[in-house]
Amino acid sequence: MKTLEQLEEIRNKYKQFTDMRTGESANAGECRRQIMVCCGTGCTSSKSPKIIEAFEQELLKNNLDKEVKVIKTGCFGLCALGPVVIVYPEGIFYSLVTPEDVPEIVEEHIIKGNIVKRLVYSETLNDDGSVKAFGEVGFYKKQMRVALRHCGFINPENIDEYIAVGGYKALEKVLKSMTREDVIKEVKDSGLRGRGGGGFPTGMKWQFTYDSEGGEKYVACNADEGDPGAFMDRSVLEGDPNTVIEAMAIAGYAVGAQRGFVYIRAEYPIAVKRLENAIEQAREYGILGENIFGTGFNFDMEIRLGAGAFVCGEETALIHSIEGMRGEPRPRPPFPAAKGIFGKPTVLNNVETYANIPVIILNGAQWFKNLGTEKSAGTKVFALGGKINNTGLVEVPMGTPLREVIYDIGGGIPNGKKFKAAQTGGPSGGCIPAELIDTPVDFDSLVSIGSMMGSGGLIVMDEDNCMVDIAKFFLEFTVDESCGKCPPCRIGTKRMLEILKRITEGKGQDGDIEKLETLAKTIKDSALCGLGQTAPNPILSTLKYFRDEYEAHVYEKRCPAGSCKALLSIKIDPDVCKGCTVCAKTCPVSAITGERKQAHFINTAKCIKCGACVEKCPFNAISFK
Amino acid sequence: MMEKVKIIIDGKILEVPSDYTVLKAARMAHIDIPTLCYMEGINEIGACRMCLVEVKGARALQASCVYPVREGMEVYTNTQKVRTARKANLELILSNHDRKCTTCVRSENCELQRLAKELNVGDIPFEGENINYPIDNLSASIVRDNNKCIVCRRCVSVCEKVQTTGVIGAKNRGFKTEIGVPYDKSLKDTSCIMCGQCIQACPVGALREKEHIERVWNALENKDMHVVVQTAPAVRAALGEEFGLPVGTCVTGKMAAALKRLGFAKVFDTNTGADITIMEEGTELLDRINNGGVLPMITSCSPGWIKFCEHYYPEFIPNLSSCKSPHTMLGAVLKSYYADIMGIAPEKIFVVSVMPCTAKKYEIDRPEMEVDSLRDVDAVITTRELARMIKEARIDFVNIDDEPFDNPLGEASGAAVIFGATGGVMEAALRTVAKKLTGSPLDEIEFKQTRGQEGIKEFEINLPNITLKGAVAHGTGNARKLLDNVKSGKAQYHFIEVMACPGGCVTGGGQPIPSFKTKNELDIFSLRANALYEEDRSLPVRYSDDNEFVKKLYEEYLGEPNSHKAHEILHTNYTKREKYSDDFLDMTSVGETV
Amino acid sequence: MAIDNEMLMNIINKNKDNNGALMQILHDVQDSFGYIPYEAQKVIAEELNVPLSEVYGVITFYSRFTLNPVGKYKVGVCLGTACYVKGSDKVLERIENILKIKAGETSADGLYSIDATRCVGACGLAPVMTINEDVYGKLVPEDVDKILAKYK
């Protein structure tokens, strides 16, 4: 148990460490350097825990373990360059570090003070050989980190660091000086809308739950981040779990709940562990439990694990899953605010939404409202992926044009390819074509062009991606993840997928495109839940912007992007072929003939398009066309 | 008094209670909204999307069956958008449905077929993959064909919520969602009580009874066999529906006539068996009360209930009356006493029972149901199957003249005929027991406390030297509540009647399946039950112990009720059964060749 | 098969009194036994007083729960969007060819099983495969041979 005074002491004690990272202080007592090692899922996969170990050994060996601290952090965002290591107070950003590089960093940088240039993130290297602050490079410069404010900056496994950067001050403010109504008003005034996909005003949800009659109420956090390619919620939980705890406690106070549930994907073991750890520490400090800060307010929370069902991101399905049932949605009303977990009024928000709450409380609704656009206040985190140079996590003010996100922050398309489309909103969203690349990214603009914000996955596609194939990919996902309760989703999405499959296999029939449109409309109008209703979006939006590609597949049996295998044939470029005969020997069906040292030919009638020859050709003379 | 709200449906201003759904409100105003998965109070899940309506202000269409009304709400049930969506969804369901309608047992009584016609569905534009499911026909009573299943979950809800057996459930997800037994095993190897309420709930032909029709036709064709038939009380109250007669028409005479036309050597009434049951069970009850036997005694007429007790409440097995059910009692009598007096070799007698029940098919296969290694009953056909046989034989059921049951059994008592409705066994027993204890006929012969649709009916009756406490439960969900109360000591009784099916046999699993519209508009239970109460009132004999044949049976053959002889042929025993056996996984899976 | 009843009862008793315990029990059983055997389902159903069909229905709804044992090495190939657009389907195909089993299957010797997984969240490393806890990223199909050779 800690009193507010004790928390203030902790804050002051640890502040010198965090100040060192902002450059406000050169040392923290005897500690004169901090080595931050990213331990998000991406960097952990690339062995960052080994890097920490290596640093600790190397420092011990050199008797530097008191002077130099190695600190585990959450995600820095630039996953493509992981593992990432940042050395403070200089703020040197090392990328693609391996455990083997560690002795060199310690020897050269820590001991001798020479930056190891071969490991420095190239964008931070100036032409003259000097190194600039990583905040100045394109990837970070245009970002604005609100929800991610602590990710990569503090140690997520140490509650003291969170307290040092002002953690739990918002909860203190709420409990000590605000009424429940004040809190709800503040959230309403901020204009915060749900970051999970729907964009429903958060303050309204809180108000409805507050208004609901009935003794027990619950606060729930949706951390069942299921959009393929989206991982912002995971990063928040991995990098700053205390923020979510603090926000949920604030929500609990506002709506009159004493118990919280975090429903989190079991596929996120690191996030689960860090959140468990944070809950444990918060309990020890008396931040969770009874009579918090001596105000008489009680609140505690627990974790419930998902088990691999995308549909559980839908709120009523999530509630059923927490209740130990099949994660099937039910019609609303009643909404969770009236009838939620175990039948009790429940306020349910997603991780990123909660991550904004403490800042809104501390900085005020107006501050938040001034960020972003009029109807979409604040910032939004995106997971950049696909054909883009800087894959990773970025946070920008709402309304930032897509072009800035893709080119200025994302570093553009690799290998000199052309940008074709960006997909937002995952299986519920749609594609934004090149001609709309200046669209501002906010809730309403995206909906107006047939996509949606979704939870924030942003997948970039280049000219090699076939849009029919992409639609098929998302439908495969939806069919797989449909709960099976209502016919439009259970059968309708399956029928759409069957049509898409035959189109990409060159068996498309006259009328197929129209059938897709009819089905899409039916499903949109009549599916039981939001997931079913949005399942046709990938088809509708690709049909809207890339109808010619569908038509090429159906009527000309041609895949313009050169991606659908069934519509391609393998050709040997006679000018490049040296007649080495490797391909003929490789071909499993003897479809390739030719004389030694002469150009070879493929009998297309025999060819099964397995691609073995393409792989084996030493001269790259064979390709799909 | 529930507060009322004003809503507008299709321009009509309605004032309805505030806890109504849009569907309920619309029905009140005679605005027809199609439904498929909806069963009031049982399956309200808004899944099938047939009842979609436009609600002003809502983004998508809404399922009216679960959408609550609210003040000032505007609803449209007949717009282009609504019609298109309903129809397309129906087409999707049909694209994933085995549409061999002409040969389907539910043809012309299928809710899906009816909707397809009513919504004017033509060719199905979205043909595609159908998963080929093996058919579960291993159970003695119920056949499940998932190729026809539309995953409406009505059967699941009935099994789980009403009967609290829960042997079937939804499995897998998405397109692969199917209803059935875990691990693709058969209903046979589960704690399914064979009540057939799932069949009653099914809107299509995915669930049906295991037919014994061929067995019966073959027996009738065998000239060496003396083929006799008996009909349960509830059959007469519902058979007419299969021929378009109004619900609640009692067709005892027509039924007997039609059975004779089908070629049965003798047509008997299971009511005679019911009268024997009262003699045996009444005596057993008094014996238990007087000699410190296990109480409460619980009736054993309903084989679904017996199986339920064996699986779920084996600790109550000593409470079960040792009496066989009426039709197996009668079967045993036919193959012994009747064979004797008629001079027919018992093995040449083939007994067919026409039952409102699917569990009776399972019951006759129980090893105990035999005397001298002759099965008590050789085939059980449901009311529905009898109707099919009558139609196949081209008998003009509606216009056929009434005929009586055959001698030597003749007409049974009115007490027996009410066995068909919940509380009837109790009432029949009370008549005989009360008369015996008071020593004279009763002033009031009808025990109204036992009648009606209340799930659990409790009562006390003052008799000389004893205040008899009894209870009646129908539907095994209610039985469960009742038994839990007995177990916890919250309630104490001498005598309990349990029927597995809600409503008792008149609404049994083997009865005609009323169309969805009929179910909505009529109180099927009451109409059928009243038909039986009518017949009771019309009969000259209304006490089981006054049945002339039964008197003779005891005089000439059995001696006293509960005599040694009676025990030999009329009583049985029970077995504790596992809910889930250890070798469940080794059982035959559905679709495996056996 | 025989299961460790004590372990199972510990799992059940630990969670039993919690509302909505079924999910957590299934998670723990899956983690402890590697799958959810029938014998365990039976006990869970009895202890929680729910029908077996419900337990089974929940298991088969969630892709993380399995009814059959999986291989000693669980090979996962991410088919999330980021990985897919970078050719993870080709990686999967190669693995299937080498191990001669399809995604969702376990090899006859019980050594390998392949899973086509949802996004594992390592999109920066796309395309990604995992073997048990190990993650391999930025793959081309040819890398697969060497990686698999390490797991015998």
Side-chain angles (χ1 to χ4, degrees):
Chain A
M1 269 303 253
K2 302 269 187 253
T3 61
L4 283 171
E5 291 70 36
Q6 286 168 317
L7 286 188
E8 200 52 41
E9 272 168 38
I10 292 170
R11 197 164 281 139
N12 291 331
K13 185 172 153 214
Y14 273 86
K15 198 166 178 302
Q16 41 185 342
F17 288 92
T18 52
D19 278 352
M20 199 201 281
R21 297 170 209 161
T22 53
E24 285 165 58
S25 158
N27 67 305
E30 58 181 332
C31 170
R32 58 177 184 85
R33 266 214 181 84
Q34 294 179 80
I35 301 172
M36 319 292 286
V37 181
C38 174
C39 284
T41 291
C43 289
T44 299
S45 300
S46 326
K47 306 200 173 53
S48 60
K50 287 244 162 66
I51 294 172
I52 292 190
E53 239 173 73
F55 268 119
E56 280 168 350
Q57 275 173 17
E58 210 55 36
L59 292 171
L60 200 62
K61 221 176 6 184
N62 291 293
N63 257 331
L64 290 164
D65 55 312
K66 295 253 156 37
E67 271 176 64
V68 183
K69 293 285 174 210
V70 185
I71 292 164
K72 185 189 263 195
T73 74
C75 183
F76 289 106
L78 202 48
C79 305
L81 295 179
V84 171
V85 172
I86 298 179
V87 180
Y88 287 112
E90 303 94 315
I92 301 301
F93 190 117
Y94 290 115
S95 62
L96 298 166
V97 178
T98 65
E100 292 72 41
D101 296 329
V102 167
E104 188 183 344
I105 297 175
V106 172
E107 176 68 26
E108 288 299 319
H109 185 158
I110 307 295
I111 298 178
K112 298 187 186 154
N114 301 324
I115 291 163
V116 184
K117 288 200 177 139
R118 70 172 182 91
L119 293 172
V120 168
Y121 171 30
S122 59
E123 296 280 311
T124 61
L125 269 181
N126 290 320
D127 292 342
D128 61 0
S130 60
V131 178
K132 63 180 166 197
F134 66 87
E136 293 301 308
V137 306
F139 181 76
Y140 287 107
K141 208 160 130 191
K142 290 215 168 171
Q143 289 198 50
M144 175 166 206
R145 304 189 100 194
V146 176
L148 297 177
R149 61 198 177 281
H150 301 140
C151 286
F153 186 72
I154 60 168
N155 179 353
E157 295 183 1
N158 183 354
I159 192 172
D160 294 344
E161 291 221 346
Y162 180 69
I163 292 168
V165 293
Y168 294 111
K169 267 190 165 170
L171 180 61
E172 181 188 336
K173 177 176 174 187
V174 161
L175 295 183
K176 287 283 188 189
S177 64
M178 291 171 82
T179 64
R180 295 169 56 196
E181 296 75 16
D182 288 344
V183 178
I184 292 173
K185 184 169 184 300
E186 198 72 22
V187 176
K188 268 193 199 162
D189 289 349
S190 75
L192 176 65
R193 294 169 65 175
R195 268 29 177 178
F200 192 81
T202 306
M204 297 276 279
K205 265 194 185 179
W206 291 26
Q207 182 71 53
F208 292 148
T209 314
Y210 169 94
D211 290 340
S212 278
E213 313 254 330
E216 206 171 1
K217 295 179 186 178
Y218 299 125
V219 174
C221 173
N222 185 349
D224 188 53
E225 186 172 51
D227 279 11
F231 53 99
M232 57 288 304
D233 292 346
R234 192 199 67 211
S235 293
V236 170
L237 288 171
E238 284 177 0
D240 193 15
N242 281 287
T243 289
V244 177
I245 297 174
E246 182 171 12
M248 287 177 71
I250 292 170
Y253 171 75
V255 304
Q258 302 192 353
R259 193 169 162 200
F261 294 92
V262 181
Y263 185 84
I264 180 168
R265 293 180 78 189
E267 289 88 339
Y268 284 176
I270 298 176
V272 173
K273 219 184 83 207
R274 298 224 173 115
L275 183 61
E276 276 172 352
N277 171 69
I279 291 174
E280 214 37 63
Q281 293 182 356
R283 280 190 193 133
E284 272 170 36
Y285 279 20
I287 294 168
L288 288 176
E290 293 191 353
N291 193 17
I292 296 167
F293 301 153
T295 60
F297 173 62
N298 307 330
F299 189 78
D300 207 338
M301 55 196 279
E302 58 190 275
I303 294 174
R304 294 292 174 109
L305 293 183
F310 173 69
V311 66
C312 289
E314 197 278 344
E315 59 182 14
T316 58
L318 182 148
I319 288 167
H320 285 152
S321 190
I322 286 182
E323 292 170 342
M325 299 192 278
R326 289 166 64 90
E328 292 170 351
R330 61 157 173 80
R332 300 171 304 181
F335 288 90
K339 209 168 172 223
I341 299 169
F342 306 122
K344 308 287 185 201
T346 301
V347 67
L348 176 58
N349 296 118
N350 106 315
V351 174
E352 192 187 331
T353 314
Y354 280 126
N356 283 297
I357 295 290
V359 218
I360 290 173
I361 297 294
L362 287 179
N363 296 355
Q366 199 51 48
W367 171 83
F368 189 81
K369 213 174 160 35
N370 289 343
L371 307 175
T373 67
E374 194 197 335
K375 286 192 174 151
S376 300
T379 58
K380 178 74 191 91
V381 185
F382 288 98
L384 280 184
K387 306 283 183 64
I388 191 158
N389 279 313
N390 297 336
T391 51
L393 209 59
V394 307
E395 182 172 355
V396 293
M398 292 273 191
T400 303
L402 182 62
R403 181 189 298 278
E404 275 182 35
V405 177
I406 289 173
Y407 285 98
D408 300 349
I409 298 172
I413 317 299
N415 306 323
K417 299 271 183 179
K418 271 208 309 253
F419 170 78
K420 184 174 185 178
Q423 212 277 351
T424 63
S428 304
C431 288
I432 304 164
E435 61 264 30
L436 293 175
I437 195 168
D438 290 310
T439 305
V441 183
D442 60 63
F443 287 109
D444 308 299
S445 302
L446 288 181
V447 170
S448 74
I449 57 167
S451 185
M452 70 182 272
M453 183 78 87
S455 61
L458 206 165
I459 306 292
V460 178
M461 281 160 287
D462 69 10
E463 54 200 287
D464 293 340
N465 291 111
C466 165
M467 301 316 281
V468 186
D469 185 58
I470 291 296
K472 189 184 86 179
F473 168 79
F474 281 112
L475 258 292
E476 262 165 6
F477 181 88
T478 314
V479 168
D480 231 37
E481 296 293 341
S482 163
C483 87
K485 188 169 173 179
C486 75
C489 186
R490 180 178 73 241
I491 310 169
T493 57
K494 170 82 176 170
R495 296 293 176 249
M496 291 204 292
L497 175 61
E498 286 168 347
I499 296 172
L500 287 173
K501 266 194 180 148
R502 67 175 180 246
I503 292 178
T504 56
E505 283 165 5
K507 296 172 195 152
Q509 302 158 5
D510 201 356
D512 272 354
I513 296 175
E514 292 71 20
K515 269 185 197 171
L516 279 177
E517 284 174 323
T518 316
L519 279 170
K521 197 174 168 328
T522 301
I523 297 166
K524 204 178 169 121
D525 285 345
S526 56
L528 191 156
C529 77
L531 293 182
Q533 288 160 13
T534 55
N537 282 354
I539 294 181
L540 287 170
S541 82
T542 47
L543 265 176
K544 184 170 174 187
Y545 298 116
F546 300 95
R547 198 181 181 99
D548 52 330
E549 277 195 45
Y550 281 83
E551 286 167 350
H553 282 77
V554 174
Y555 301 111
E556 300 163 38
K557 309 293 176 218
R558 186 171 65 80
C559 174
S563 157
C564 295
K565 217 166 152 186
L567 297 176
L568 302 176
S569 50
I570 298 178
K571 295 239 167 66
I572 300 177
D573 185 341
D575 297 334
V576 184
C577 177
K578 301 264 193 281
C580 72
T581 74
V582 167
C583 56
K585 285 179 195 146
T586 306
C587 180
V589 291
S590 308
I592 305 181
T593 50
E595 296 294 315
R596 177 171 282 279
K597 304 215 164 145
Q598 307 231 327
H600 279 49
F601 299 96
I602 298 177
N603 179 346
T604 44
K606 273 189 177 174
C607 175
I608 55 166
K609 303 176 189 174
C610 70
C613 56
V614 180
E615 267 178 42
K616 282 278 155 74
C617 176
F619 309 104
N620 292 329
I622 317 180
S623 59
F624 281 99
K625 288 253 158 60
Chain B
M1 192 54 199
M2 178 63 63
E3 124 194 41
K4 294 211 165 187
V5 294
K6 265 207 189 91
I7 66 166
I8 306 173
I9 305 184
D10 296 340
K12 249 188 193 174
I13 299 171
L14 305 171
E15 214 181 327
V16 297
S18 60
D19 65 343
Y20 264 35
T21 60
V22 170
L23 177 70
K24 233 171 151 178
R27 282 191 178 159
M28 204 181 81
H30 302 289
I31 292 168
D32 191 30
I33 295 174
T35 62
L36 205 46
C37 68
Y38 179 72
M39 277 177 99
E40 194 177 345
I42 296 170
N43 200 46
E44 299 180 348
I45 59 174
C48 77
R49 317 311 281 169
M50 277 303 111
C51 67
L52 292 176
V53 294
E54 260 188 273
V55 176
K56 196 173 172 188
R59 197 160 39 106
L61 298 172
Q62 301 294 335
S64 59
C65 69
V66 287
Y67 205 87
V69 295
R70 59 161 195 276
E71 180 63 36
M73 160 186 247
E74 267 181 69
V75 177
Y76 300 91
T77 74
N78 180 26
T79 63
Q80 179 82 19
K81 191 173 173 180
V82 165
R83 284 191 307 268
T84 313
R86 283 180 189 165
K87 191 166 171 175
N89 279 317
L90 191 57
E91 286 167 345
L92 282 172
I93 295 172
L94 288 164
S95 82
N96 195 31
H97 176 72
D98 177 352
R99 298 201 300 280
K100 296 192 189 104
C101 297
T102 48
T103 53
C104 180
V105 70
R106 289 293 293 275
S107 187
E108 297 194 334
N109 184 24
C110 168
E111 291 178 33
L112 190 64
Q113 192 184 39
R114 187 195 178 99
L115 274 181
K117 200 175 162 192
E118 288 176 356
L119 300 193
N120 196 22
V121 172
D123 286 336
I124 305 300
F126 316 118
E127 298 290 5
E129 185 196 337
N130 278 323
I131 297 172
N132 195 1
Y133 294 104
I135 296 172
D136 177 11
N137 57 5
L138 300 176
S139 139
S141 301
I142 295 168
V143 179
R144 191 171 177 98
D145 179 358
N146 273 353
N147 299 298
K148 290 180 180 165
C149 175
I150 57 167
V151 205
C152 70
R153 308 191 188 203
R154 279 160 47 164
C155 57
V156 176
S157 289
V158 165
C159 190
E160 196 176 317
K161 291 191 205 156
V162 178
Q163 298 298 65
T164 63
T165 37
V167 295
I168 46 172
K171 306 188 286 185
N172 307 321
R173 73 169 182 225
F175 190 68
K176 294 181 188 134
T177 307
E178 63 168 311
I179 307 302
V181 173
Y183 289 97
D184 294 328
K185 297 295 167 191
S186 166
L187 282 169
K188 170 172 85 72
D189 299 313
T190 68
S191 50
C192 168
I193 61 168
M194 314 280 170
C195 67
Q197 284 302 313
C198 54
I199 303 176
Q200 288 289 340
C202 185
V204 295
L207 280 158
R208 60 178 196 267
E209 65 286 312
K210 180 102 172 211
E211 273 197 5
H212 284 184
I213 291 181
E214 275 311 300
R215 214 193 270 191
V216 176
W217 282 135
N218 289 338
L220 287 169
E221 196 59 23
N222 187 343
K223 297 301 165 214
D224 290 342
M225 295 302 281
H226 179 73
V227 185
V228 298
V229 66
Q230 55 168 318
T231 62
V235 177
R236 68 204 66 188
L239 180 63
E241 293 166 32
E242 292 279 354
F243 300 92
L245 295 171
V247 179
T249 312
C250 199
V251 295
T252 318
K254 288 184 190 298
M255 174 178 72
L259 286 166
K260 287 177 190 176
R261 231 49 103 247
L262 286 174
F264 288 101
K266 297 277 182 185
V267 179
F268 298 132
D269 196 344
T270 305
N271 292 6
T272 306
D275 282 333
I276 303 170
T277 302
I278 292 302
M279 301 302 291
E280 293 295 322
E281 209 165 84
T283 308
E284 185 184 353
L285 175 65
L286 289 175
D287 180 56
R288 286 190 190 218
I289 291 171
N290 294 330
N291 300 312
V294 181
L295 290 173
M297 187 176 91
I298 314 178
T299 59
S300 57
C301 303
S302 167
W305 147 243
I306 292 297
K307 197 161 184 278
F308 182 85
C309 184
E310 291 175 326
H311 282 295
Y312 299 90
Y313 287 88
E315 63 273 29
F316 280 97
I317 285 178
N319 299 69
L320 290 174
S321 159
S322 63
C323 290
K324 285 182 181 173
S325 68
H327 85 115
T328 43
M329 277 200 185
L330 190 61
V333 167
L334 289 170
K335 289 193 181 183
S336 53
Y337 173 66
Y338 171 80
D340 268 9
I341 59 173
M342 297 294 288
I344 304 170
E347 62 272 18
K348 295 286 178 199
I349 299 178
F350 190 95
V351 179
V352 176
S353 299
V354 184
M355 296 284 131
C357 179
T358 47
K360 300 275 182 197
K361 290 172 184 279
Y362 155 82
E363 183 191 29
I364 61 166
D365 284 348
R366 289 176 66 114
E368 312 86 59
M369 295 303 159
E370 63 172 32
V371 178
D372 294 338
S373 56
L374 278 183
R375 306 304 303 165
D376 292 340
V377 173
D378 300 286
V380 167
I381 55 171
T382 59
T383 311
R384 297 190 293 268
E385 287 167 271
L386 174 59
R388 272 173 241 152
M389 290 182 74
I390 293 172
K391 286 175 186 167
E392 195 181 344
R394 317 303 295 167
I395 295 165
D396 181 359
F397 188 82
V398 175
N399 294 309
I400 200 167
D401 287 333
D402 288 359
E403 288 182 35
F405 287 111
D406 284 322
N407 282 320
L409 277 62
E411 206 162 57
S413 77
V417 84
I418 59 172
F419 262 54
T422 165
V425 178
M426 177 62 74
E427 184 173 345
L430 289 177
R431 287 184 192 176
T432 290
V433 168
K435 189 176 80 169
K436 193 163 180 182
L437 291 181
T438 54
S440 63
L442 308 169
D443 297 337
E444 178 50 68
I445 194 170
E446 295 186 357
F447 290 84
K448 295 266 163 56
Q449 310 94 305
T450 66
R451 300 186 179 184
Q453 295 188 72
E454 193 68 38
I456 295 171
K457 293 165 276 190
E458 295 175 282
F459 56 86
E460 287 183 14
I461 294 186
N462 290 315
L463 295 169
N465 302 324
I466 184 168
T467 299
L468 191 81
K469 289 170 112 181
V472 172
H474 55 117
T476 45
N478 289 323
R480 185 184 285 274
K481 279 185 218 149
L482 184 63
L483 294 186
D484 286 342
N485 285 344
V486 172
K487 224 157 105 174
S488 68
K490 252 205 249 164
Q492 283 170 331
Y493 311 103
H494 296 101
F495 191 28
I496 294 173
E497 176 204 298
V498 179
M499 292 293 156
C501 290
C505 307
V506 283
T507 39
Q511 290 284 63
I513 301 167
S515 81
F516 160 77
K517 222 174 142 57
T518 316
K519 263 189 240 176
N520 270 328
E521 288 167 359
L522 302 177
D523 177 358
I524 309 275
F525 164 80
S526 298
L527 289 167
R528 288 181 185 167
N530 284 338
L532 297 182
Y533 291 127
E534 280 297 316
E535 181 155 309
D536 167 36
R537 278 192 282 275
S538 74
L539 286 170
V541 174
R542 295 183 75 189
Y543 294 93
S544 292
D545 52 301
D546 289 346
N547 178 322
E548 287 303 324
F549 173 79
V550 172
K551 282 190 197 161
K552 230 168 83 188
L553 173 70
Y554 279 98
E555 272 165 32
E556 293 180 1
Y557 190 66
L558 294 173
E560 294 288 303
N562 290 9
S563 68
H564 180 70
K565 186 75 193 166
H567 262 282
E568 214 173 84
I569 68 169
L570 303 180
H571 290 252
T572 185
N573 52 64
Y574 310 102
T575 317
K576 176 180 180 343
R577 292 172 205 275
E578 296 288 328
K579 257 184 273 179
Y580 319 111
S581 65
D582 286 337
D583 52 357
F584 182 64
L585 286 194
D586 303 326
M587 301 292 183
T588 314
S589 286
V590 170
E592 269 176 37
T593 33
V594 261
Chain C
M1 72 162 253
I3 53 164
D4 185 338
N5 242 315
E6 199 187 318
M7 200 200 276
L8 177 63
M9 285 314 294
N10 284 341
I11 290 172
I12 295 174
N13 289 331
K14 192 180 79 190
N15 294 296
K16 203 174 167 175
D17 297 327
N18 213 342
N19 254 341
L22 181 57
M23 284 289 281
Q24 195 52 49
I25 290 174
L26 294 178
H27 269 296
D28 291 354
V29 171
Q30 174 81 42
D31 290 347
S32 306
F33 296 91
Y35 71 114
I36 306 175
Y38 163 70
E39 290 75 7
Q41 293 176 39
K42 201 178 111 166
V43 179
I44 295 167
E46 287 287 353
E47 293 293 321
L48 295 187
N49 200 19
V50 295
L52 178 70
S53 63
E54 193 177 317
V55 176
Y56 185 87
V58 171
I59 294 171
T60 56
F61 186 87
Y62 296 98
S63 54
R64 197 176 170 82
F65 300 140
T66 57
L67 294 166
N68 297 305
V70 289
K72 182 177 166 201
Y73 301 116
K74 283 171 273 183
V75 183
V77 181
C78 176
L79 290 189
T81 321
C83 286
Y84 183 80
V85 299
K86 287 199 169 173
S88 63
D89 51 333
K90 310 274 185 317
V91 173
L92 174 62
E93 206 179 302
R94 183 110 179 175
I95 295 171
E96 289 178 334
N97 287 338
I98 294 172
L99 298 180
K100 300 197 172 57
I101 48 170
K102 294 273 168 214
E105 295 175 351
T106 301
S107 62
D109 56 9
L111 218 47
Y112 305 99
S113 49
I114 309 179
D115 238 344
T117 69
R118 295 268 169 260
C119 183
V120 295
C123 307
L125 305 177
V128 168
M129 72 183 272
T130 57
I131 300 182
N132 294 349
E133 305 300 311
D134 304 334
V135 180
Y136 299 90
K138 299 184 183 167
L139 297 170
V140 292
E142 292 73 37
D143 296 340
V144 167
D145 308 51
K146 263 199 201 145
I147 294 169
L148 285 176
K150 289 198 252 175
Y151 298 85
K152 288 276 184 235

